Amino acid sequence: MRRPAVAAFLSALIPGLGQFYKRHWLKGGGFLVGSGVLGGVATELISVDDLMAGDTSGIGRALGLLVVLLSFLIWSVADAYRSAKVS
């Protein structure tokens, strides 16, 4: 039996890791790839240099992407916990 708290903690570290712990390989791979894609999009669309220089024209885009990434992380943690608790 897999422990739900461990699965949730692992998914909080790296989305998908808690699903791998539960041996849900396809779901874990989806969360892992999804977080990588979202992270890659975020680094392409947000210029940290511009933000550090005080250019706030892209702040709305940055906050929007941050909300999407945070939502994805919460979804991964909740799914890992729920999946481990059910079984």
Side-chain angles (χ1 to χ4, degrees):
M1 184 169 134
R2 303 291 177 175
R3 294 168 50 195
V6 173
F9 176 74
L10 291 172
S11 273
L13 291 177
I14 300 172
L17 202 54
Q19 285 78 6
F20 288 139
Y21 170 73
K22 185 60 182 135
R23 296 189 176 118
H24 292 164
W25 308 115
L26 190 60
K27 193 187 297 187
F31 277 112
L32 187 62
V33 168
S35 65
V37 168
L38 286 173
V41 168
T43 57
E44 287 296 317
L45 294 179
I46 300 171
S47 172
V48 175
D49 293 333
D50 289 345
L51 292 174
M52 294 296 286
D55 179 11
T56 58
S57 62
I59 197 74
R61 186 174 50 222
L63 288 175
L65 281 170
L66 184 63
V67 167
V68 170
L69 282 167
L70 185 59
S71 299
F72 195 77
L73 174 66
I74 291 169
W75 179 24
S76 175
V77 170
D79 178 75
Y81 183 84
R82 183 190 53 78
S83 295
K85 193 168 183 159
V86 169
S87 300

